[in-house]
Amino acid sequence: MPQKQIIAMGGGGFSMEPDNPLLDAYIVASSPKPLPTVGLLPTASGDSDWLISRFYRAFNQLPCRPKHLPLFRQPVDLQAEVAACDILYVTGGNTRNLLAIWKASGMDKLVRDAWERGVVLAGLSAGAICWFEEGHTDSTGALTAIDCLGFLPGSCSPHYDGEAERQGSYHQLLKSGSIRDGLALDDGAAAHFLGSKLDRVVTSRPQARAFHVSLIGQDIQEKPLATHYLGDASHSLS
């Protein structure tokens, strides 16, 4: 059976760390293919030309074949475009818009089928939380919960150290029962799931952290997760 993989980044990658390729190189290396085709899904950004250009600039330096899959100028055969990819990489942006457009175009089903075939799913911010049952998002203005694709259990909050209101908002949503227990990811932290189980957390920054956050009685518990800094050559991730 093919191995199902999802790599969810709280922040980082080519769009946030253009001079730090550690997370993007890790994503490319996660594919069993020696020269994988990486398909960018920039839907959450409105198919931003700036992001697409930056993606090619970054991924042309890595051992892969980059391409992008625009949905605002949808290709004639979207299924064939997805089928040609070994990795699908989802940008940040507006999660609510991403989910609506994917549902309208059928991309939600194509992405699930790809995951079950062993295509690596990856992304940051909106492209991270979309895979969970629920996400912690500012897509509607204020930070709130949003129902997502449900490939992974629980919720996810990105940019946990990068936005001043993230942590407090996540805690309040948990206390009010508005969101499930879940995963909080700093910028530069990436959670690598095999199937629906968290296998490891890798980072592009030495101090980036990840937590399992839950409500125990009336109290919030933040359990720090072990991390592996990708810039430390002494760390073996095999």
Side-chain angles (χ1 to χ4, degrees), residues 100-204:
I101 293 166
W102 280 13
K103 183 175 181 179
S105 65
M107 178 58 81
D108 57 341
K109 295 182 176 62
L110 292 176
V111 168
R112 178 177 280 278
D113 290 344
W115 178 53
E116 291 176 348
R117 291 197 313 272
V119 172
V120 179
L121 306 183
L124 75 152
S125 192
I129 69 177
C130 66
W131 313 118
F132 291 79
E133 291 177 306
E134 294 177 325
H136 185 210
T137 181
D138 59 2
S139 295
T140 59
L143 283 163
T144 187
I146 187 171
D147 290 332
C148 296
L149 295 171
F151 297 5
L152 299 175
S155 65
C156 182
S157 180
H159 308 303
Y160 207 56
D161 66 335
E163 297 177 358
E165 298 180 357
R166 278 279 171 182
Q167 184 182 41
S169 169
Y170 198 36
H171 288 189
Q172 284 303 119
L173 290 169
L174 284 162
K175 286 180 177 179
S176 68
S178 300
I179 200 168
R180 293 173 172 86
D181 295 354
L183 185 65
L185 296 168
D186 283 356
D187 290 335
H192 190 165
F193 287 82
L194 301 181
S196 59
K197 182 179 178 181
L198 180 62
D199 183 65
R200 62 177 55 141
V201 178
V202 298
T203 72
S204 59

Side-chain angles (χ1 to χ4, degrees), residues 21-32:
L22 289 174
L23 287 178
D24 292 336
Y26 180 83
I27 289 168
V28 170
S30 69
S31 172

Side-chain angles (χ1 to χ4, degrees), residues 52-106:
I52 293 168
S53 174
R54 178 164 281 194
F55 165 71
Y56 281 108
R57 190 179 310 136
F59 278 76
N60 278 327
Q61 304 302 312
L62 297 172
C64 66
R65 299 184 180 95
K67 62 180 290 184
H68 70 285
L69 289 75
L71 293 187
F72 289 82
R73 301 178 294 277
Q74 188 168 320
V76 174
D77 192 341
L78 187 58
Q79 184 173 2
E81 292 293 317
V82 172
C85 297
D86 304 301
I87 299 170
L88 291 170
Y89 188 124
V90 184
T91 67
N94 189 300
T95 310
R96 181 180 61 175
N97 291 352
L98 176 152
L99 293 169
I101 293 166
W102 280 13
K103 183 175 181 179
S105 65

